[in-house]
Amino acid sequence: MTVKTIYIIRHGYRSNWLPENEQLPILTGVDSDPQLAPHGVEQAKQLAGFISKELSPKPQLIFSSPMYRCVQTVNPTAEALGLDIFIEFGIGEWFKRNRGQIPKPLEASNMKKYFSRVSESWNSHTMTPSQEGETEEEIFNRCAAFWPKFIPKVEQQFPNAECILLLGHAASKITLGMTLMGYKNNRDYLREEDNGDGKTTRIQAGTCSLDQYKLDENTGKWHLKINGKTSYLQNGTEMNWDYGTSKFVAGSDEDIAYRRKLAEQAKRAESLVDGIPAESGSSRTFSKL
């Protein structure tokens, strides 16, 4: 059989996006590999409820980035559907070349210590991101090279699978989608046939947002049918990110600091209009940005 439906989802709300005194410890010992915040855990449950009860067709296979927060996000879905989780480095996080030391995520054998549904029966290194980091062009090339290796590999190992789910990060979610559909870079606007208008629409990448891609079996081309769905989340879209408008890597310390700065500016502007002094808000006052 042929893979005909692909879901790509971003992980939930990260613990290190909370104020420092509310952050949870990193369990894996891997740099930049935080747990989900309690809010992210709730998002993962809401996602699992939607996938298991409402989404059609249902995924038959689950692949996750090797980062803890990604496996933690998709674990409730795996539990609800009774599926294994396969670790896949090819859909992993984007780290820029100027970052310094690049984190080395856990292999499936070690991740299985935290999540029993992780399976070691998949060769996790279809593609492996460079340990020197990647430019925007290089992550695009990584994802473009990933699909021609990954899909035939899935179809050979799991010949009855027509619908699969990938759980990754904002940058990889967008880039995987753009390369799957045959675009030339991460910043293109989506064509009408891909649920866009060619002028303003890009792939949405809020936390726990879901994209659905369908294969046109007549042309062999993939098209985006669901873009950044979050209607099943109690708070809707949060922490959306894209290459065209965001100044920093998604979820990085610089990104969070910038979001907080914008949120504080908006709060001060609102207080001036209302004539009320601005007060400190919750730890997620910037999360809609």
Side-chain angles (χ1 to χ4, degrees):
M1 290 187 181
T2 301
V3 174
K4 300 176 182 178
T5 304
I6 298 176
Y7 299 110
I8 306 180
I9 302 172
R10 185 187 180 190
H11 62 75
Y13 200 96
R14 292 162 51 164
S15 169
N16 66 320
W17 294 344
L18 297 174
E20 189 171 353
N21 63 342
E22 297 180 30
Q23 294 178 16
L24 301 174
I26 292 177
L27 299 177
T28 62
V30 176
D31 180 37
S32 299
D33 191 20
Q35 302 182 56
L36 296 178
H39 175 57
V41 172
E42 289 304 312
Q43 287 182 316
K45 293 176 182 177
Q46 292 160 18
L47 171 68
F50 169 71
I51 292 175
S52 62
K53 297 175 183 177
E54 300 182 44
L55 187 63
S56 180
K58 296 281 188 290
Q60 298 162 281
L61 301 171
I62 293 175
F63 298 89
S64 174
S65 159
M67 288 302 196
Y68 185 96
R69 60 188 175 276
C70 293
V71 184
Q72 188 181 15
T73 297
V74 82
N75 193 62
T77 296
E79 293 281 0
L81 298 179
L83 296 177
D84 290 336
I85 300 171
F86 300 111
I87 299 300
E88 176 52 67
F89 280 69
I91 62 176
E93 179 68 290
W94 177 36
F95 295 107
K96 286 190 174 183
R97 282 184 169 271
N98 61 3
R99 186 185 188 278
Q101 186 173 358
I102 305 300
K104 188 174 183 180
L106 296 184
E107 298 288 342
S109 57
N110 289 319
M111 187 61 74
K112 190 175 179 64
K113 299 174 184 177
Y114 301 98
F115 300 98
S116 62
R117 287 204 168 269
V118 170
S119 171
E120 297 180 60
S121 63
W122 173 260
N123 179 353
S124 300
H125 292 271
T126 305
M127 293 289 294
T128 303
S130 171
Q131 278 300 116
E132 297 179 357
E134 299 168 305
T135 64
E136 185 177 325
E137 180 181 7
E138 286 169 335
I139 184 178
F140 189 89
N141 292 339
R142 183 231 299 180
C143 291
F146 170 76
W147 290 117
K149 295 182 179 181
F150 174 74
I151 292 178
K153 182 177 166 184
V154 170
E155 292 175 342
Q156 181 177 7
Q157 187 167 340
F158 304 100
N160 295 321
E162 296 186 358
C163 180
I164 63 176
L165 184 158
L166 279 61
L167 201 297
H169 309 263
S172 62
K173 175 178 180 290
I174 292 168
T175 309
L176 286 165
M178 296 299 280
T179 52
L180 182 64
M181 293 185 290
Y183 287 85
K184 299 301 182 183
N185 65 73
N186 293 314
R187 297 170 182 255
D188 280 347
Y189 292 114
L190 298 177
R191 299 178 290 256
E192 185 175 352
E193 62 265 30
D194 296 321
N195 199 30
D197 58 11
K199 298 177 181 179
T200 63
T201 309
R202 289 189 170 106
I203 295 175
Q204 301 296 294
T207 48
C208 273
S209 62
L210 177 147
D211 301 334
Q212 182 197 65
Y213 297 88
K214 288 279 192 178
L215 176 67
D216 183 329
E217 295 186 73
N218 292 321
T219 64
K221 295 182 179 180
W222 289 88
H223 297 290
L224 180 61
K225 299 300 182 181
I226 298 176
N227 182 2
K229 187 177 182 66
T230 58
S231 59
Y232 44 83
L233 299 177
Q234 183 176 356
N235 289 358
T237 301
E238 299 179 89
M239 302 297 287
N240 190 42
W241 184 92
D242 68 62
Y243 286 97
T245 59
S246 302
K247 293 178 176 290
F248 306 102
V249 172
S252 64
D253 291 342
E254 296 86 354
D255 181 32
I256 300 307
Y258 181 66
R259 289 173 185 266
R260 287 188 172 130
K261 179 181 178 181
L262 292 180
E264 289 301 320
Q265 289 174 348
K267 190 185 300 183
R268 285 196 295 271
E270 183 179 352
S271 70
L272 290 175
V273 171
D274 295 338
I276 302 172
E279 297 178 358
S280 59
S282 71
S283 59
R284 291 190 289 109
T285 53
F286 61 96
S287 61
K288 291 286 183 180
L289 298 174

